[in-house]
């Protein structure tokens, strides 16, 4: 992050949720102050107001898709930039007070998204239990700890924080589910390029232009910029008016992405830069996977081509 390393962090609360668990994987946040916020908007506004150095908020889930409220909050208000992404496996546990057995469970507290993602497990193992909707995974764990409910579906950190025993772990129906979070700060120089980065943008189309979205995609495609995600959200101005959120492979410091941004600036009604930051690295049997830059599209290729054009303009044809 630019300037002084951040020490004050805010995250989508309450305590004991996946957001807190994700934030604690950031070394500076583990050492710094962590404060829960009641909503995504409250978390981001704390950063805008200077009350926090950075906020961790959810961007998307591999099962539920994009988190619309986060996208809306990023495109409205004073600009903010993403400086890091955190991808966390969504590993739900069934937790209860010590001494409770699975056969004792008659009521289970769960956030609606959590119970949906664990529907198969609940049907097989607790078919007669009543599932009670609560506001968060943290609230579910707190309710089980107080005895209001027999058990809770929650994040592992919630069970630990409320001193609950884990009756069953990894109970989600999709064992490979993950949630992607963004660490957001006030504008400043982006983290230096690593060679495996993402750049996020919010793009408003020129509505009086035929093929406006195609023009956006072409600015990326002709430069070999890989678009890894596109989401649309209504602007609220009128039916049919949307803002498009793009994630592109590359860093604003890369020549080809820089040229693509210049092209988008020319053909779009508005472009909001949401940050360039290191891509989350997945370790596989074959090692960390990176997408190679296509031949002819490296920074060196652009520099060579620019030098050639300069020589032509100077009358040097050799």
């Amino acid at each position: 992050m630019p300037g002084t390393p951040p020490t004050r962090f805010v995250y989508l609360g309450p305590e004991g949720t996946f957001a807190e668990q994700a934030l604690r994987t950031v070394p500076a946040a583990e050492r710094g102050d962590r404060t829960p916020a009641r909503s995504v908007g409250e978390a981001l506004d704390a950063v805008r107001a200077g009350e926090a150095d950075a906020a961790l908020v959810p961007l998307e889930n591999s099962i539920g898709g994009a988190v619309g409220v986060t996208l809306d909050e990023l495109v409205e208000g004073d600009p903010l930039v993403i400086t890091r992404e955190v991808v966390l496996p969504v590993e739900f546990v069934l937790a209860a007070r010590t001494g409770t057995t699975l056969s004792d469970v008659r009521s289970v507290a769960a956030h609606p998204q959590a119970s949906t993602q664990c529907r198969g497990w609940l049907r097989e193992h607790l078919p007669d239990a009543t599932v009670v909707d609560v506001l968060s995974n943290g609230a579910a764990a707190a309710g089980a700890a107080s005895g209001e409910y027999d058990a809770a579906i929650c994040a592992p950190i919630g069970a630990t924080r409320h001193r609950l025993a884990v009756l069953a772990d990894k109970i989600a129906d999709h064992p490979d589910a993950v949630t992607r979070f963004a660490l957001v700060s006030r504008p400043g120089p982006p983290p230096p390029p690593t060679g495996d980065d993402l750049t996020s943008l919010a793009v408003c189309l020129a509505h009086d232009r035929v093929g406006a979205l195609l023009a956006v995609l072409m600015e990326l495609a002709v430069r070999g910029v890989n678009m890894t995600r596109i989401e649309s959200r209504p602007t609220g101005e009128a039916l049919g008016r949307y803002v498009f959120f793009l994630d592109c492979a590359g860093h604003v410091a890369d020549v080809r992405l820089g040229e693509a941004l210049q092209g988008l600036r020319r053909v779009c009604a508005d472009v909001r830069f949401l940050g360039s930051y290191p891509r989350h690295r997945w370790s596989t049997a074959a090692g960390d996977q990176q997408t190679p830059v296509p031949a002819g599209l490296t920074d060196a290729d652009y520099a060579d081509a620019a030098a050639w054009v300069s020589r032509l303009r100077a009358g040097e044809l050799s």
Side-chain angles (χ1 to χ4, degrees):
M1 284 180 202
T4 305
T7 58
R8 301 170 301 158
F9 295 85
V10 64
Y11 62 93
L12 178 61
E15 295 179 342
T17 60
F18 286 110
E20 183 188 7
Q21 190 171 327
L23 181 60
R24 298 192 70 157
T25 67
V26 178
E30 181 66 12
R31 297 188 298 267
D33 296 326
R34 302 177 300 275
T35 303
R38 291 172 295 183
S39 67
V40 169
E42 182 178 289
L44 297 182
D45 284 344
V47 177
R48 290 185 173 108
E51 298 166 0
D53 301 318
L56 189 91
V57 292
L59 270 183
E60 60 177 320
N61 177 269
S62 60
I63 304 300
V67 180
V69 65
T70 300
L71 300 182
D72 293 343
E73 291 287 347
L74 284 175
V75 81
E76 296 174 359
D78 294 338
L80 295 170
V81 291
I82 300 170
T83 58
R84 181 180 183 137
E85 68 170 357
V86 177
V87 179
L88 187 75
V90 180
E91 297 181 347
F92 290 107
V93 302
L94 184 77
R97 286 172 294 167
T98 302
T100 303
T101 65
L102 202 59
S103 61
D104 296 328
V105 175
R106 295 290 179 269
S107 61
V108 178
H111 185 276
Q113 290 185 358
S115 58
T116 296
Q117 293 187 45
C118 300
R119 183 186 296 120
W121 190 93
L122 289 168
R123 185 167 53 244
E124 179 179 354
H125 297 277
L126 292 173
D128 298 323
T130 300
V131 178
V132 182
D133 290 345
V134 294
L135 293 177
S136 69
N137 299 312
S146 69
E148 186 177 359
Y149 310 104
D150 297 329
I153 295 175
C154 60
I157 190 174
T160 300
R161 182 176 298 278
H162 292 280
R163 300 180 180 179
L164 297 174
V166 175
L167 303 184
D169 64 355
K170 298 182 178 179
I171 64 173
D173 298 335
H174 299 275
D176 297 325
V178 297
T179 295
R180 179 183 176 221
F181 295 87
L183 191 66
V184 179
S185 68
R186 291 181 294 280
T194 66
D196 190 21
D197 303 287
L198 289 175
T199 293
S200 294
L201 309 166
V203 172
C204 292
L205 303 182
H207 297 288
D208 58 349
R209 176 171 178 167
V210 176
L213 181 55
L214 178 60
V216 168
L217 302 180
M218 287 300 296
E219 292 293 338
L220 303 174
V222 297
R223 296 174 178 88
V225 175
N226 182 35
M227 186 176 65
T228 62
R229 182 178 69 96
I230 182 170
E231 301 278 351
S232 64
R233 295 285 299 167
T235 63
E237 298 171 357
L239 284 175
R241 298 293 178 94
Y242 294 91
V243 57
F244 291 85
F245 293 87
L246 313 179
D247 284 345
C248 305
H251 193 281
V252 67
D254 299 341
V255 175
R256 64 192 177 119
L257 186 57
E259 286 202 0
L261 290 176
Q262 292 178 46
L264 294 178
R265 174 77 171 182
R266 292 194 303 268
V267 304
C268 296
D270 187 40
V271 180
R272 177 172 282 202
F273 176 73
L274 298 178
S276 289
Y277 47 91
R279 187 201 302 262
H280 177 85
R281 293 197 172 187
W282 295 98
S283 294
T284 67
D288 291 332
Q289 301 298 304
Q290 297 187 25
T291 303
V293 178
L297 294 172
T298 67
D299 279 3
D301 294 325
Y302 273 95
D304 177 72
W308 176 68
V309 171
S310 293
R311 291 196 300 272
L312 295 181
R313 288 170 175 167
E316 301 173 11
L317 302 183
S318 58

